[in-house]
Structures are given as C-alpha cells and as structure tokens.
Amino acid sequence: MDIAIVGAGAAAVGLLDSLAATADSPGAITVFEPSPHLWRGRPYGPDLDTVLVNAPPAIMSIRHLDFGHYAAWLGTLGRAHLDERLDRPLVPRAHYGEYLAHTAETALATLRELGWRVRGVTARVIGAARSGAGWSLRTDDGHGHEADHVALCVGEGTPQDHYGLGGASGFVHDPYPLARTLDRVAAGSDIAVIGSGLTAVDVVVSLAAYGHTGPITLLSRSGVLPHVWQRPVEHRPQHMTAERVGVLHRQQGAVTLGDLIGLLRAELAETVEDFETFVAELLATTTEDPVRRLRAQLDAVDDSRIGRRVLQETAHSVGPYAWRLLPEPDRDRLQRHFRTATSVASPMVPVTAVTTMRLLDSGQLAVAGGVRKIEVSDGAFRVHSDDGERTFDAVINAVNPPPRAIPRGPGSWSRPCWPTVPPNCIRPVGWFRVTRVCTWWETSPGAVRSSRQALRA
C-alpha cells in the first residue's frame, strides 16, 4: 500500500501516529511538504513566547483517546508556564510544535522498524488525477508520483482579504509568525487589527509584549471578543453526549435542535442550574458591551456553574456528529449564531484575557464593531463603521479562514479533484466519510480515527 500525505502539519502527525499504532502490513509513505517547519503547520512554527497554546494539555493530545499523551511529553516544562487562574500549563505554541515534531518522528521511526518505506518530498503538489485504481500526483518541480491512497492534510488556509487591501504598504495579510510581523510595525503607530477573535487577541497581546506604545483597535463587524476559559471542574456530561444523540437518531430517525436543547437542559438540571438564565447570557454575547462582558467573564473563571463548560466541551465532542444529523432549517438557525458559537467553543485563556483587559482599561486598546469598509487613502487606511470614519497607520489582518478553507497553494487543484471521489465517500456537510471503497481522504486531527479504521480494512 502506497500512501501519499499532502501536507505535514498536525493532521499529518495524527495520521502517522495512528498508522504506527495500527498498521499490520508494511507499505510506503510519501509526505509532500515545501515548508521548512515540518509537522508544525501554520500555527505552531517558531514564534514569540506570547503566542500561547489556547487550551490545557488534556485536550491538546494528538493521539486519539490518549488524553495524557501531550501532558506526559510536556513533563516539568509546564510548570514554567502555569496560568494561575486556570491552574493549567499554557505553553508557547512553538513548544507544542516541538511536541508534534517529536510525535511525528517517533511514528516514522516505528513505521520504518515495521518495514515501511518513508520519504519526504519538499516540492509542492500542484495536481492530482485518477490513475487506474490509484492516483497520480504532480509536483512543482516537474516530477510525477504514484500512490494508492492520498491523504489531504493541508490545514485550514490563511485569512481572507475581505477589504481588498493586499499589496498596500502597511497592510499585513497573515499575522503569523508574529515575530516577523511585529518587526515591521512602528512602535508608536496607530494600529487597526481586523477581527476580534483568538488571532486578533494574539496580535494585541504580542504587540504589548513587544513594547508597542501606540493605540490599537480591534475592528470587526460583530465586535465580539472570545469568551474566557473557566477553571476545569470534575464534571462529565451525562446527557449531552454522542451516545445519547445516537440513541435519539436511532429512535426517531433524525435529531433536531430541539432535541439537543433538551439534552443540554437535562444536563444543567443535574446541577440545579437555571437553563433560561444560561441561555439569556449566551444570547447577550453579540449585544453586551465587549469590555463589560470580558470583565464579567474574568470574574467568572472560578464560577462553579457548568453550563458554559459543558457547551464548550460538547461543541467539539458532540457537535461534529450532531451537526450532520440536523435538518437544514436547524442548521440555518445555528449558523445565525455563528459568532456566539465560536466565542464559546474557542475561548481565550485567562492569562491572555488579563492582558487584554489591562490594555482596554488603560485606553490603549479599543474594540470597534459595525465595520463596513476599509480603504487605502493617502498612504493610510480609512475605516468606515457605524461610529463614523477613522484613519490608521497600519492594518493587521487577523480574521479566521472561512470554514473548510484550504491554503491558497493546493486550492487550485484539490477542489477540482473532489468530483472524482466516489459519491458514497462524500459527507453531506463537507469533508469525507472514509470507507473501504475510498482511496481519497481529507483529514483533520479530529478525523484521524476514521482514517485509521480505513487503513486497517
């Protein structure tokens, strides 16, 4: 079996680690990756120490169902990066990149011991097509490569340039790595950061650590900041689980948003937490003043209520499964609350929230919602928002890539390949379902289990 893995980031690491643990017959693996930073992807390459992994070690393990794998590798290193409010280590992302690299190299060594032939190709894949029962890939150095299976592990892409500012002096299209970006920003300049999510917060905190003295403004349409992580508590969901969703699906033939709300309501009832109050707080996310809400959430890091903790956890553990079972009208309802959902599911860590709050209180940082247009004018950037117009010296683009985005490099060839995938391999809501007849996989760290099952088949 010859496997071509296109991309060498976190998804590829998870796939290799699973292969090393389960493969029962040797084959060949070719990894295509032009970046010099193998296994780290865009988020976890060398960067400033202020750019932190935004989650505790227990949910950052790359090994499926082994929640202690990353923590065991981290060892005593975590003590130097303890977030006292969260009571968990939050290390710089570059350290997590080292963990990914170590896991990948360990998996490759194991595969070689099992008789697998492994090689890396530094050229970029620019084309792929069916070739009999397998695939033919073309790289930008003019060479061709054959494979039985292709795993597309290209990551989530880079930010979109929503306002057409590309090429303008003073505009940063992609902030990472921030060590490179901030070297180009004058210390006293008036900075606009497009976006108000985790990437934008990374930019703000790193600017402060770099000694930036000028004003910083987060620009977005919603003006919503991420929620703040709460200290973990000993609570395991009993109702809002994939198993309960599966039971509902088997019993009813479908799962509705009302069903999921019922499960969450039952979960909160176990701890006598008022469901209506919890929902009202969630719905206020897009209307409440972001500074006031951030202050309240910092005060609630130790709050014993479980509602937000359960919703945050199950957004990842149950959400992907439940989403594909929901009828289209229910998906549309949820998508109308997309910004609130991402704020809850991907919160900022307390140590970052404290710095953000300090900058807001000092007046150096502001949040501006209702942004409609940004244009280049006389060597500066003019922003049009609900509050009027304002001019900035520089703009840093910190919006997230759109859902199911892919990097610009593979984008020109991977999507045209999708129609050649057997229809029964395509999920109804994007990505792929891996089965015995599939020979093409698009993977993410969360999809590695399915890939592993297919490789055993």
Side-chain angles (χ1 to χ4, degrees):
M1 176 169 56
D2 291 342
I3 302 172
I5 301 178
V6 183
V13 175
L15 180 56
L16 288 170
D17 187 65
S18 291
L19 269 172
T22 60
D24 52 11
S25 59
I29 297 173
T30 304
V31 180
F32 298 86
E33 177 55 68
S35 167
H37 304 302
L38 288 177
W39 316 122
R40 300 167 186 263
R42 174 175 170 261
Y44 304 114
D47 209 338
L48 301 174
D49 283 350
T50 53
V51 184
L52 302 177
V53 174
N54 200 61
I59 65 172
M60 289 299 291
S61 173
I62 198 68
R63 179 167 293 172
H64 180 59
L65 293 183
D66 184 352
F67 302 114
H69 186 251
Y70 170 45
W73 177 88
L74 193 60
T76 59
L77 178 64
R79 296 175 187 170
H81 301 281
L82 185 70
D83 185 322
E84 293 183 358
R85 287 176 175 250
L86 198 61
D87 193 30
R88 295 292 188 276
L90 299 168
V91 303
R93 288 191 196 173
H95 287 332
Y96 187 74
E98 293 170 9
Y99 159 68
L100 293 176
H102 176 267
T103 303
E105 296 300 338
T106 300
L108 291 175
T110 300
L111 288 165
R112 289 188 178 102
E113 290 176 0
L114 294 172
W116 284 72
R117 303 183 308 280
V118 180
R119 69 187 182 109
V121 175
T122 58
R124 186 185 303 276
V125 175
I126 60 172
R130 277 290 199 182
S131 178
W135 291 87
S136 292
L137 287 79
R138 291 183 293 108
T139 48
D140 60 3
D141 59 2
H143 291 95
H145 307 267
E146 302 297 320
D148 298 319
H149 307 283
V150 177
L152 187 59
C153 301
V154 295
E156 63 176 6
T158 53
Q160 287 187 319
D161 179 8
H162 289 294
Y163 300 98
L165 303 176
S169 176
F171 174 67
V172 178
H173 176 261
D174 184 355
Y176 297 120
L178 282 164
R180 177 192 64 198
T181 296
L182 301 191
D183 277 339
R184 296 146 53 188
V185 176
S189 56
D190 195 343
I191 302 296
V193 180
I194 303 176
S196 58
L198 291 176
T199 300
V201 171
D202 272 351
V203 172
V204 167
V205 171
S206 297
L207 279 168
Y210 234 59
H212 186 77
T213 57
I216 308 166
T217 303
L218 297 179
L219 304 174
S220 77
R221 287 169 289 202
S222 68
V224 172
L225 292 169
H227 281 62
V228 179
W229 269 93
Q230 294 178 291
R231 187 186 290 258
V233 297
E234 292 298 324
H235 176 84
R236 190 177 185 85
Q238 301 298 314
H239 302 275
M240 192 67 169
T241 65
E243 290 75 17
R244 290 295 298 273
V245 172
V247 169
L248 285 173
H249 184 241
R250 288 191 296 273
Q251 290 176 344
Q252 303 172 176
V255 175
T256 67
L257 185 55
D259 292 328
L260 299 182
I261 291 172
L263 294 177
L264 183 59
R265 186 187 291 273
E267 198 72 57
L268 269 59
E270 292 280 346
T271 58
V272 200
E273 182 173 339
D274 186 72
F275 182 79
E276 305 305 331
T277 300
F278 172 64
V279 170
E281 290 175 355
L282 282 180
L283 294 178
T285 297
T286 56
T287 56
E288 186 179 4
D289 174 69
V291 179
R292 186 183 301 114
R293 192 169 66 86
L294 178 60
R295 196 184 311 280
Q297 294 216 339
L298 273 170
D299 290 340
V301 167
D302 291 316
D303 192 323
S304 62
R305 292 178 297 173
I306 66 164
R308 196 147 49 85
R309 293 179 174 94
V310 169
L311 193 57
Q312 177 190 333
E313 176 185 343
T314 56
H316 300 282
S317 62
V318 181
Y321 171 56
W323 175 261
R324 65 187 181 89
L325 303 179
L326 289 174
E328 202 65 37
D330 282 355
R331 291 185 198 156
D332 291 339
R333 285 178 62 193
L334 281 176
Q335 285 178 326
R336 289 197 289 272
H337 300 283
F338 176 77
R339 191 65 187 89
T340 298
T342 57
S343 178
V344 173
S346 300
M348 70 174 105
V349 292
V351 65
T352 298
V354 168
T355 301
T356 305
M357 192 74 253
R358 174 175 58 80
L359 294 171
L360 287 165
D361 284 339
S362 72
Q364 185 181 5
L365 175 64
V367 180
V371 175
R372 300 191 304 271
K373 181 181 179 181
I374 305 175
E375 60 185 349
V376 180
S377 176
D378 298 325
F381 297 88
R382 182 175 296 165
V383 175
H384 304 261
S385 71
D386 292 345
D387 296 327
E389 295 183 9
R390 184 175 167 188
T391 300
F392 295 89
D393 301 318
V395 173
I396 300 175
N397 190 28
V399 299
N400 291 322
R404 302 206 308 269
I406 56 177
R408 286 170 290 174
S412 61
W413 63 265
S414 62
R415 290 197 183 278
C417 291
W418 290 8
T420 65
V421 180
N424 60 327
C425 294
I426 299 180
R427 289 184 178 176
V429 192
W431 299 67
F432 296 109
R433 179 177 64 247
V434 183
T435 68
R436 288 176 180 269
V437 300
C438 288
T439 57
W440 177 281
W441 309 309
E442 182 174 2
T443 64
S444 67
V448 167
R449 176 174 58 178
S450 296
S451 303
R452 181 175 62 200
Q453 291 168 344
L455 289 169
R456 282 205 301 262

